[in-house]
Amino acid sequence: MKHAYLALSLAAILNTPLNSFAAEELKITKNDVIEHIEVAGQITKSQGLSVKDTTVDGPFGDNLALQDIARSVTPISSELIEQLNITTLQDVLAVSPNTYSASGFGAPSLPTIRGQLGELFQDGTRRQAGNNGFGVPLSFNAVEQIDVVKGAPPVLFGSSQRNGGFVNLHSKKASTDESKGKASLSAGRWDQYRVLVDYSAPIVKDKVGFRVSAEHIDNGSYYDFSGTKSDSLFAALRVLPDDKSSWDLNFELYQVEFTDNAGINRPTQALIDHGLYITGQGVQANGSTIPAAGSIISPTGQVKIDRSTVLTDPDNQNEATTYLLHSIYKRELSSNASIKNITYFQHLQREEIAQNSFVEIIDGADTAQNRTELTYQWSNEQQTIFAFDVRYNRVFGYSQFTTEADLPIDLTGPISNRRIPLTDTQQARLIEISPGVFVSPGGQYDINNDGSGDFNLSDTTDSRSWQTGLAIQQDSDWTNKFHTSVGYRVDYYDVDARDPIAPQGQVAASDSINDTLQSGQVSFNYKLNNDYTTYGAASYNEATSNSMAGGTSLGGDNTISAQNFATENTLVEFGLKYAPTDSDWYADGALFSQRRSLRNRDGSNTGIRTQGFEGQVFYDAYPYWLSAGYSYIDARYDNSASSQDSAQVADAFDNSRPDIIAGTGVGAPSFTPFARSNRQVQGIPEQSFSFNGNYSINSKWQTGFSGLYTKSYPLDFLATVKIRDQYTLNVNTSYAFTPSTKLRLDVNNVTNQKNWRPVFEGGYFGATLAFPELPINAKLTLTHSF
């Protein structure tokens, strides 16, 4: 517990206004306590941009200093969010090592950590997010701190779906002691606009406060037929009934219209290296040029393609509405006992109807969770945290992705090339839920009694799940240098699913399953001296595999697959942290070995083992701020099978133009399973390096920079196409006209690099699609505090 007290003390010092320090300095001078005068002088140099100055709440306990957490963690404060211009989950890679991610079809809804999708938490509870990363974009309007944690969630957070790591968002809190507000307006290239107003004030001073924050985004796009329009309204209430308790309640309503951006198809090496695109529309065996499985392209030429020409359609519909409620109540029960109760509810509705026959409609997804944590301190050296957790998830939605076909499409031709009107035969294997909108049923049926199913299956479901968990964590200080933490949790799942749209005359398929999943963790910290702390951590986690919005779909045999509860994940990590109290530096490094499961499109799980190193360093002392991060990761299939949309891009072409490409004539898409192997996982750079800096020219004018370098890596499983070494360099400058009004200019990709990244996590579309990153662009932001 003494670690928590230390962290609280540091936080209190770091957040005390300068005038308080001045008063304290005068008082200290009178008392002749020289040591405190020196600390005050040191603190005034900090700009709040070092992770060392930020405490971490939630995953491993509350109010922990970074050096006291036995895991690789990057806490990103509100000041650092602003400095790094973080507006999407992908932006965290600018500061946190091993967070390189695919584009998520242009709208990433989940983080990527150590080469795999991670979880998204807010205030310690798991949010609804995307289906394998593709879902609803995230607004940062409600967020004031972002904690990036490597490895599976700890026992306090419980069994989840994704285990590469997780991001825990901390909601903004209302002020009970002063009124303050901020307004910002930004405008960028391609008609990108954002307005935010944030205001907080006490209702009853030192007892009750409120906060309201509203954000509107209206973004055009560099990419064809793309854009984002969203509105976020956030409200928070903070109540301090007495000096032993607090209650934080917040609500967010978020509505967004956005684009499903699949990037550019036919990613040959010539496309990646020189922007050369092979033309020619794919042809089916029956002569149709409508994109379909098995289509073959006879190349008609090779042209330089505009990087803004991507797989989008002006008639696509894609929108979502969600609202979230969080409640956090804390109370000190006695001198050695405290309680925390966290409640979360989220409702989501989403509709995407695309002209390439893709459909995902969530008519309603409701998630509710309540966790109670009791902390008891047996002595100054021994503390136990008990947790009881209940989570409910209900998903009602429709899906259809079985007739998509990207490789046959010639992007240089008319829009009609991209559209997939369904044939009568295809429609017969689907269900029409509204005029012209066809989706898969939620179960399989043999209508003609020929012994095989007559329908295509996707993620359509009407499912419900209850997750009940019990956890215990024991924290022990054996000496003033050696600390251990041991945790165990058991989760009981009760799940049922049914087909919400069974074919006429058929009894709706349904199934139920229950299972018990376990997780455990053990870690140690050892203080080598006042500056250095070494640590080790190990964890075992059993997790679930789910479909859209965390729902559960029936398989082809109309049962819930036991594979959904068969993802075992392990982590071993050792690290060293340097956090001197009398220096402006912070640094850490970690060696890790992590085995985890990746959910495939067919619902099966593939084992992936990653080993590597990551490190980060920060320096924060006015007028300078610097950070750098490096990661090395060896990600390989763990004697596991894998699959791709097509084996290789050459399969889409015949060999009529060997001067352009040596096509195999297999046809594409052609779902390809690969045998068990230990091959390198595609779509993940082995090495990456990020750096950031800022210099205050004077009290009003600042200038800064950031950059990212990634080493060459294979785009597809067979490594027939590679994304070469690439880098991105950004610069920024800001000028404060008054202490409360500031203008900032950001110029991104200032050297106008033609960079690429994968479209989808897990490499499934590695031979089919690649995402062209943005060219040079600029944004101007005016901020006024009041």
Side-chain angles (χ1 to χ4, degrees), residues 520-564:
Q521 65 190 42
V522 59
S523 65
F524 74 86
N525 300 69
Y526 183 76
K527 287 187 175 295
L528 301 174
N529 53 42
N530 290 335
D531 295 342
Y532 291 94
T533 302
T534 185
Y535 73 88
S539 74
Y540 170 81
N541 174 279
E542 295 176 341
T544 63
S545 293
N546 305 99
S547 58
M548 58 181 177
T552 301
S553 301
L554 297 175
D557 59 356
N558 289 340
T559 66
I560 299 172
S561 173
Q563 282 283 83
N564 287 352

Side-chain angles (χ1 to χ4, degrees), residues 403 421-432 436 438-439 455-456:
T403 55
L422 300 178
T423 65
D424 291 342
T425 301
Q426 290 171 323
Q427 292 178 13
R429 297 186 61 85
L430 301 168
I431 304 293
E432 188 174 22
F438 291 84
V439 300
F455 292 89
N456 296 348

Side-chain angles (χ1 to χ4, degrees), residues 5 33 71 127 218 307 422 450 455 495 632 681 773:
Y5 292 150
V33 185
R71 288 279 280 274
R127 283 183 53 143
D218 188 349
R307 290 166 59 88
L422 300 178
D450 65 351
F455 292 89
V495 183
Y632 167 79
V681 177
E773 296 190 19

Side-chain angles (χ1 to χ4, degrees), residues 424-461:
D424 291 342
T425 301
Q426 290 171 323
Q427 292 178 13
R429 297 186 61 85
L430 301 168
I431 304 293
E432 188 174 22
I433 58 171
S434 63
V437 179
F438 291 84
V439 300
S440 298
Q444 187 58 272
Y445 306 91
D446 180 11
I447 293 179
N448 58 13
N449 297 313
D450 65 351
S452 62
D454 296 320
F455 292 89
N456 296 348
L457 296 185
S458 302
D459 285 335
T460 295
T461 188

Side-chain angles (χ1 to χ4, degrees), residues 175-493:
S175 172
T176 60
D177 57 356
E178 63 174 338
S179 299
K180 54 185 178 181
K182 182 178 75 171
S184 68
L185 171 65
S186 66
R189 192 179 180 187
W190 309 301
D191 295 322
Q192 300 200 356
Y193 304 101
R194 176 178 179 263
V195 179
L196 182 141
V197 179
D198 185 352
Y199 180 73
S200 182
I203 300 174
V204 179
K205 188 171 177 59
D206 298 326
K207 290 289 185 181
V208 182
F210 77 96
R211 185 168 185 170
V212 176
S213 184
E215 175 195 62
H216 174 72
I217 293 175
D218 188 349
N219 283 348
S221 179
Y222 163 74
Y223 306 106
D224 292 346
F225 316 120
S226 297
T228 302
K229 291 184 179 181
S230 69
D231 290 284
S232 169
L233 177 63
F234 173 81
L237 182 71
R238 182 169 176 82
V239 181
L240 304 176
D242 49 48
D243 61 354
K244 299 181 182 298
S245 59
S246 66
W247 182 39
D248 288 287
L249 181 68
N250 62 70
F251 173 83
E252 181 184 11
L253 174 63
Y254 179 61
Q255 191 279 330
V256 61
E257 299 176 16
F258 62 105
T259 302
D260 174 354
N261 186 342
I264 298 178
N265 62 347
R266 307 179 182 180
T268 62
Q269 197 64 57
L271 176 69
I272 301 300
D273 293 346
H274 308 295
L276 296 176
Y277 184 84
I278 302 175
T279 59
Q281 184 76 354
V283 180
Q284 298 182 42
N286 62 7
S288 173
T289 57
I290 295 174
S295 296
I296 298 176
I297 306 160
S298 295
T300 57
Q302 196 172 34
V303 300
K304 193 90 169 179
I305 192 171
D306 192 316
R307 290 166 59 88
S308 65
T309 304
V310 291
L311 268 174
T312 53
D313 192 295
D315 290 342
N316 285 354
Q317 303 174 44
N318 197 9
E319 59 184 3
T321 300
T322 186
Y323 57 84
L324 304 91
L325 175 70
H326 285 90
S327 169
I328 304 174
Y329 177 77
K330 298 180 181 180
R331 182 167 182 81
E332 182 183 331
L333 301 176
S334 65
S335 59
N336 55 0
S338 62
I339 193 170
K340 177 167 71 171
N341 181 269
I342 304 173
T343 301
Y344 152 74
F345 176 80
Q346 181 175 3
H347 174 78
L348 169 68
Q349 288 184 291
R350 180 185 176 206
E351 180 175 271
E352 177 176 5
I353 301 174
Q355 298 303 307
N356 69 345
S357 77
F358 177 83
V359 177
E360 184 171 287
I361 298 173
I362 301 175
D363 265 355
D366 295 302
T367 305
Q369 183 172 353
N370 182 272
R371 183 170 70 248
T372 299
E373 299 175 11
L374 175 64
T375 302
Y376 191 84
Q377 187 162 350
W378 306 92
S379 66
N380 289 335
E381 294 80 27
Q382 300 293 330
Q383 172 186 282
T384 305
I385 302 176
F386 304 92
F388 176 70
D389 206 342
V390 177
R391 182 180 175 90
Y392 170 79
N393 192 59
R394 169 72 186 279
V395 178
F396 188 94
Y398 313 101
S399 177
Q400 148 59 5
F401 50 67
T402 63
T403 55
E404 287 182 80
D406 295 328
L407 275 173
I409 297 169
D410 183 350
L411 281 178
T412 66
I415 292 297
S416 58
N417 278 5
R418 313 177 186 189
R419 296 181 172 175
I420 304 177
L422 300 178
T423 65
D424 291 342
T425 301
Q426 290 171 323
Q427 292 178 13
R429 297 186 61 85
L430 301 168
I431 304 293
E432 188 174 22
I433 58 171
S434 63
V437 179
F438 291 84
V439 300
S440 298
Q444 187 58 272
Y445 306 91
D446 180 11
I447 293 179
N448 58 13
N449 297 313
D450 65 351
S452 62
D454 296 320
F455 292 89
N456 296 348
L457 296 185
S458 302
D459 285 335
T460 295
T461 188
D462 179 3
S463 64
R464 173 197 60 84
S465 68
W466 283 96
Q467 175 186 351
T468 305
L470 290 169
I472 183 171
Q473 178 176 306
Q474 178 67 34
D475 299 318
S476 304
D477 289 321
W478 302 105
T479 69
N480 61 354
K481 291 187 175 182
F482 185 60
H483 171 83
T484 63
S485 179
V486 179
Y488 171 77
R489 174 162 174 152
V490 59
D491 283 279
Y492 177 77
Y493 280 84

Side-chain angles (χ1 to χ4, degrees), residues 675-713:
R676 293 176 179 272
S677 74
N678 297 103
R679 292 182 68 100
Q680 179 183 357
V681 177
Q682 65 270 39
I684 303 171
E686 281 189 324
Q687 298 185 62
S688 63
F689 175 68
S690 62
F691 53 92
N692 305 276
N694 182 72
Y695 173 67
S696 296
I697 299 172
N698 53 45
S699 60
K700 295 183 177 182
W701 187 14
Q702 298 181 355
T703 185
F705 60 87
S706 66
L708 174 69
Y709 162 82
T710 55
K711 190 169 178 58
S712 173
Y713 60 93

